[in-house]
Amino acid sequence: MPSTRASVSYKKKDGHLTLSDDQKYLFWTPSTPANASPAVTIPIAEITNLQQTPANSEKVALRVIVKDENYVFSFTSPAEARKEQEAVTEALRGVIAAGKASAAQQLKATSNGADGGESAGQSAAMAIAKALSSRSTDEAWYDDNKLRNDFQLQRSLLQANKPLYDRFNQALKDKPESVSVAQFTTQFWSTRLHLLRAHAIEKAQKEGEYNVLPEIKYNTVIGPDGEPIKTLNMTKEQVALIFKQYPVVRKAFNETVPKPFADARRFWSAFFASRLLKKLKGLRIEKNDPQDPVLDRYLEHEEDTGPASIAGHVPHIIDLEGNEQNTHFHLEGDYEMRAAKHDRPILHILNSMSEKLLSHVAPADGEAHAPIGMDEGTFEQLRLRDLAVQDSDNRVVLNVREQARYTGKQDEDEWSADAKLYAQQDPEVVIEDIRAQLQPANDNGVLRLDEAIGFQSDEDDDEEEMEDGATTANGAKPAQVASHKSLDTASRSILSSISQRRSQTSNPTSPESLLSGLSQPLFDTLTITHNTTTEFLHYFWTLFLSGDSSRTAELQQLVATLDRSLDRINAVAEQAEEERKARVEKMREYQKKTGKRFRFDEAGLGGGKKVVEEMVRPTVEALKRAGAVYRTAFEEQSREAGAG
Amino acid sequence: MNAIDATDRAVAEQDIEPPSLLTIIIDTNPHAWALLDDTLPLTKAVASLLVFINAHLAINYTNQVAVIASHSERAEWLYPTDVHPDNVQSNGALANGRDYEDLMDRGGPVQPPDDANKYRPFAQLEHTLMYNLRKMMNTTTTDAINSSPATMLAGALTRALAYISKQTASLPTATSSTQFNYSDPSAMAGGNELTTDPTKSANALGLSSRILIVSVSGDLADRYIEIMNCIFACQRMSVPIDVLKLAGDPVFLQQAADTTGGIYMSLSTSTARAGLLQYLMFAYLMDQTARNHLIAPGEGEGVDFRAACFCHKRVVDIGFVCSICLSIFCEPLPDGTCLLCGSHLSMTNYGRKPVVVPKKKVKKKKRPTESGTDTPASGAGTPMPG
């Protein structure tokens, strides 16, 4: 094949590059000795990247990257180096694309391994000399693929969620052999992405700031000499927080630590005894508080207001000061509410502290650049709405468009069973009959209801049929309207439905009624069997409907697994039957032993195969249906394949 | 002596039974009744209903009743007639011949013949109802009943709801704050405790309303959206929908009863249908106040929760749902645009034709590379907007 043969040098040795006939491998064969076997064999399916030298460069080379290794082939043909290189690249490109289409799954696994879990959607092999664009990690929890591949996150979720963990393990144990763990995990999580996302977000949350100074307290220990020793424990985070919340401390620290304080420890011990601390905490500074010439300098330091003070944004309607200025009445609020009392240092400190804490948090309800004052939206929010008489109608009207296109033409095949029956009737006759029936029975138009409903209070059941035969046209009837018999039947059916309802509602939480006679361990087994079965059904349908021809073998295995699930359910049923038999036996023995003749209600005992079957009936139905659908499709396509 | 002071009286006041409005929707699809003619003719069913209505009216003198016919091509009031509802009480003055004729012609309320054997309000109701039913059947053309196998249940439900709202509004209620603001989106979004609890009547001392649907025909899928809207409106207004199914496909009506906390019973055999009166009196007579203390009959299990698709009106087990507006479609949309909200939707590779036999020859030589990279991983592949 001349098109895919090129003379190249690899590791400074001349040779030539060929593509195998089945287009699965790329060979490099050294030119000396002649007829040498290929020295380098690269499976094309494993190529993750191709790089070439720029088109105008003198040197012509192709770099083939396979997993962690890479091979650099320099094209040596004096005249046609570039052309040959292009031909080889083109051929490889075609083969890789075709290979990817048929074996997307396998390729995905390898490519993911190669470029470090980058999104699988990215075509890895074909990005020639591409720049690795890094994705913003902020959006990580919105990206399905990222969640699907984040094993750490998945493990952490499994640990946090016990039922999920059990389910995962059980399903993993029962999975068909042909399904690899990686495939299974992908499938398992693909239906639970929302859980992963919630978990990721939950984990990403962190605690907000808190007022750090009051949290740092002295620990007083009685020393060996009987003197109390005060120790102070601070963490690194606390120091960072102090610096962040109190810029003046940072300033003091910066200016004083090498000199006059020798190290940080000295600084902090001085600081926690100083007047500055008291001021920052909003405590009153007493006369006999020890003076500190160094730190007291910072007492008068005026702090800058926080970066995003909320003060400017307070709408007048809830602004305390605004009320005093803008209204006639004097607001006699609480002690703290009065503006006059606001010179209390503690209140100022607390307020400014809260402001600062808030200003470090990204606002959830607006942006810092929003216009100061109240905009239309805020006003709408703050308006006293309950006094409003009426809200305008702001519903969104949705219309189904182009409906006629679908519903207009209706075939007779699509008619319901009722409609077909109706179509057999002659509308003329129907209408006439009804009209005739509705004509008043006697001249004055009074309906004798007791007669009209056909109920006769003193009739006998024997006479019933003869008497009623006269009033209605048709002779033999299965049931006479409003006869004693039919009314009795009605009563009975209503009463039975009531008692059925009652048994369901009376104590829905009592464990016995839920288990309906099964023992707890058996019930647990049944639950877990059911869970696994559901898991595999999910997997089956996903695979079945994916239309992926490369995974038919896997699908076949999965169907076998579904059949085994049926066996597992039957096994549980058998177990339940044995359990029940044992219980009945025990009762009998007890009866024999005591000699007491009492009747025990065998039916009321519950449990057994019947109960199990009743419980899992929908699951079994689902299994059967899945199997049937698969078999139908299999037969059909086998026939087609045979024919074609 | 303390036992008869004011506090006790206040408590006693709470125990007064609220007036109850019973709205009956009777499916009068002539075809369906013709099929039932052997076992339960329309006249007998109506007679049973009349007995039932009389019982309802007799329980409490403030009780009210309304009857709507859901006919083949229209929904029609049977009682009270909407022309001059006031005349029902006062038309003794109109009893001279000419006016009587006029009223007959206009289809207004008619004077029942005097009958000493019947309580006058009962006779009044019976006469109006029978008169209107007769008139409706006389004006029904054969074309009308052949045009559709369905019945105008959505229209009848809408009329019933409108009537209930009107009656509730006109009655001064003890708890005046129970009016729900439907146009306020914020009220819709949150859990308004007045409306979320279906067992607790929103109008505790006001009019308690319920709807009884006597249904004989199926084929409701054509009006799926309208019917479901009515059902959810009933749920919000705490109006239970009781359903008595005499024939036909039960889909949606069972959901209606289940959603609104009503009673659903299906009389599928002729024996059961013959006991219609007993079913009505036994299962459906108690009002909401009484139902709080009773265990309701009915088939609670196995509700058919299937929905009809918006495109072909087919009842579907598995369908496709627009991720934006939650509309239901029975098959992927041809142009990928949601019929309701117009969002552009795309499908992941779910719902393809299954391939179970490995292909020996790949006929299509190359598949486009982009689609090849898609993993058939997620069954819950959400159609993404974009």
Side-chain angles (χ1 to χ4, degrees), chain A residues 40-287:
Chain A
V40 176
T41 307
I42 304 169
I44 288 173
E46 284 178 14
I47 294 177
T48 56
N49 210 344
L50 294 173
Q51 289 178 345
Q52 65 186 14
T53 48
N56 51 5
S57 134
E58 258 174 52
K59 220 176 145 202
V60 182
L62 175 69
R63 183 200 292 255
V64 179
I65 301 171
V66 177
K67 287 190 180 155
D68 305 325
E69 297 169 55
N70 64 61
Y71 307 87
V72 181
F73 302 106
S74 308
F75 288 77
T76 52
S77 163
E80 302 195 308
R82 176 59 66 182
K83 213 182 254 175
E84 281 184 355
Q85 181 261 327
E86 271 166 8
V88 169
T89 316
E90 208 53 51
L92 282 178
R93 212 179 285 181
V95 174
I96 290 169
K100 266 161 71 84
S102 63
Q105 189 58 31
Q106 286 90 328
L107 194 64
K108 185 199 154 237
T110 51
S111 74
N112 272 351
D115 49 15
E118 216 197 343
S119 106
Q122 202 129 18
S123 151
M126 291 321 296
I128 289 180
K130 66 173 181 175
L132 277 173
S133 62
S134 62
R135 283 196 171 205
S136 119
T137 48
D138 280 346
E139 305 260 300
W141 55 65
Y142 297 115
D143 182 5
D144 286 0
N145 283 317
K146 196 128 200 162
L147 290 173
R148 212 174 285 153
N149 294 325
D150 191 344
F151 297 111
Q152 293 292 335
L153 183 70
Q154 289 165 7
R155 194 169 307 132
S156 128
L157 175 58
L158 283 181
Q159 270 158 10
N161 190 339
K162 182 78 172 54
L164 195 64
Y165 180 75
D166 290 346
R167 186 177 249 231
F168 180 80
N169 273 351
Q170 186 65 31
L172 194 64
K173 218 161 61 189
D174 294 343
K175 76 170 174 58
E177 256 106 64
S178 69
V179 179
S180 75
V181 177
Q183 278 172 336
F184 170 76
T185 333
T186 314
Q187 165 62 26
F188 184 85
W189 290 112
S190 67
T191 51
R192 290 178 176 79
L193 283 179
H194 60 290
L195 291 177
L196 281 176
R197 188 163 298 139
H199 190 66
I201 291 170
E202 195 184 329
K203 274 179 68 178
Q205 286 188 340
K206 47 181 190 279
E207 245 179 67
E209 283 179 35
Y210 57 99
N211 190 0
V212 65
L213 275 187
E215 292 292 313
I216 301 170
K217 295 211 173 70
Y218 285 109
N219 277 334
T220 312
V221 185
I222 308 294
D225 50 354
E227 284 292 308
I229 302 171
K230 283 181 171 180
T231 56
L232 202 61
N233 285 324
M234 284 167 71
T235 62
K236 236 175 26 209
E237 289 79 22
Q238 279 175 330
V239 173
L241 266 183
I242 291 176
F243 283 161
K244 194 171 170 192
Q245 288 173 7
Y246 303 97
V248 62
V249 182
R250 176 199 288 274
K251 192 167 184 272
F253 187 83
N254 280 344
E255 287 171 9
T256 57
V257 163
K259 234 173 76 157
F261 295 118
D263 57 12
R265 263 185 58 171
R266 296 255 171 86
F267 172 80
W268 288 118
S269 55
F271 172 71
F272 277 98
S274 70
R275 291 182 169 202
L276 182 60
L277 175 79
K278 281 202 148 186
K279 178 177 181 248
L280 291 179
K281 282 171 102 170
L283 302 176
R284 194 183 298 278
I285 296 171
E286 308 284 348
K287 271 201 183 113

